[in-house]
Amino acid sequence: MITGRRAGAGERGLVVELVRRVAVYGLLSASGRVLVVREPAGGLWSLPGGSVAHAEHPERAVVRTVGEQTGLTVSVGRLRAVVADVSPPTQDGVSLHTDRLLFEMTVDGDVSGDTGGGTIEARWVSPEDAARLPLTPFSAELLGLPVTPLPADAPPSAEPLPPLHPDRRLRFGAYGLVTDPAGRILLTQIADGYPGAGKWHLPGGGTDHGEQPTTGLLRELVEEGGQVGRVVELLGVDNLHNPAALGPEGRPLDWHGVRVIYRVLVDVPTDAVVTESAGGSTARAGWFTIAETADLPLTGIAASAIGQLGR
């Protein structure tokens, strides 16, 4: 899924269109080997996967895209890692930011041979063999291998950018289940004029173009709650589709939100204070015990994340 475009300043004052995309990939392991693919044949090797469609849950997207590329029937497991990268501006002046989610997956059936078909080649390789393949940088990063820059003559992505839809929006965000040493939970209240106004929400928000998810989350934690925290665990991903969200734009828009959730610790908590500029989406912030949250009007993502503390 591609978000709407906005202009930014490039080198020498050139106008650059900033474009966002969310993509998902599967980590399939069998007998100490992992599955990698390349498209078209002769190009760079990659983990199997592809772009998330509008309103599509990332977990469904990874089952679909991995199945399409490999011909395998797969099941999705836990979210393993989330990274972001930005491609150099194209000749048309488009700078593509991709948020990439890696899921652990299992194959339902036999994995004894290579798979794939058409223009896609698939291969089961050992970690040592994977390190010797020409891998896309994000695949190397997600596999924990050394990352080398793409060569100047590397083939362009085989996946074209879909046309911009005037009424659709994609928002990728990073949110935190934030606690202190006493077990209190930091929550933020959504301001008037924004979807969910008055409800208590997890700290966090949309990441900026070129920003890593954890960096964006810790920035938002300071802006929305006045706290300095540290990310300790990746909990999962939440999907939100609101086909007629009415916000500051003044007209209903078809919003798709992909929100990754982390566990965050604030070792030295202070009074919760909203520090972002006036007019933001956060009205106030506060620390609450788990018992106190039961009496609060919570957003769905906040209620789900808090429920994990009791597991």
Side-chain angles (χ1 to χ4, degrees):
M1 169 63 192
I2 302 292
T3 189
R5 300 177 178 181
R6 61 188 177 89
E11 295 181 1
R12 303 177 183 176
L14 297 177
V15 175
V16 177
E17 290 183 299
L18 307 181
V19 181
R20 297 287 295 264
R21 173 177 65 178
V22 176
V24 288
Y25 303 90
L27 180 62
L28 294 97
S29 303
S31 302
R33 301 178 300 164
V34 297
L35 185 64
V36 293
V37 299
R38 61 175 174 179
E39 178 187 13
L44 297 173
W45 290 90
S46 167
L47 290 165
S51 292
V52 177
H54 182 72
E56 186 178 30
H57 195 294
E59 292 181 355
R60 290 195 293 271
V62 73
V63 172
R64 173 182 59 81
T65 56
V66 171
E68 290 172 350
Q69 284 192 337
T70 67
L72 296 171
T73 301
V74 294
S75 300
V76 64
R78 73 180 181 95
L79 180 61
R80 175 76 170 263
V82 184
V83 299
D85 56 71
V86 179
S87 63
T90 65
Q91 292 182 346
D92 296 330
V94 175
S95 175
L96 177 63
H97 171 121
T98 304
D99 295 290
R100 307 183 191 270
L101 284 65
L102 176 66
F103 292 89
E104 294 180 353
M105 307 191 78
T106 56
V107 179
D108 303 330
D110 180 42
V111 295
S112 58
D114 290 347
T115 181
T119 62
I120 299 176
E121 181 182 358
R123 183 185 300 174
W124 292 94
V125 297
S126 68
E128 294 77 16
D129 290 337
R132 290 189 286 268
L133 290 175
L135 290 168
T136 57
F138 76 86
S139 296
E141 181 178 1
L142 290 172
L143 289 171
L145 299 172
V147 177
T148 56
L150 290 176
D153 59 351
S157 171
E159 185 175 42
L161 295 179
L164 173 67
H165 193 289
D167 295 320
R168 287 180 176 176
R169 298 291 185 272
L170 169 68
R171 188 170 189 260
F172 181 87
Y175 292 82
L177 177 57
V178 181
T179 58
D180 69 359
R184 297 183 302 168
I185 303 167
L186 182 70
L187 295 172
T188 60
Q189 190 176 46
I190 300 173
D192 291 339
Y194 291 85
K199 291 187 176 181
W200 289 89
H201 195 31
L202 296 179
T207 59
D208 293 335
H209 193 91
E211 189 174 47
Q212 294 293 333
T214 53
T215 303
L217 170 56
L218 296 180
R219 170 183 55 78
E220 291 278 356
L221 182 57
V222 173
E223 294 174 355
E224 295 184 343
Q227 308 297 311
V228 176
R230 55 188 176 92
V231 174
V232 297
E233 184 182 5
L234 176 60
L235 297 178
V237 61
D238 174 83
N239 192 73
L240 176 67
H241 178 222
N242 189 335
L246 183 61
E249 297 82 7
R251 64 186 179 94
L253 294 174
D254 186 352
W255 277 95
H256 178 200
V258 176
R259 307 179 292 186
V260 291
I261 309 165
Y262 296 88
R263 181 73 183 271
V264 179
L265 293 181
V266 174
D267 296 304
V268 184
T270 59
D271 291 340
V273 177
V274 180
T275 63
E276 64 182 342
S277 59
S281 61
T282 304
R284 57 183 174 140
W287 288 103
F288 301 93
T289 65
I290 293 181
E292 289 170 336
T293 64
D295 297 322
L296 296 175
L298 299 174
T299 62
I301 188 175
S304 176
I306 292 171
Q308 295 187 45
L309 287 176
R311 294 179 182 176

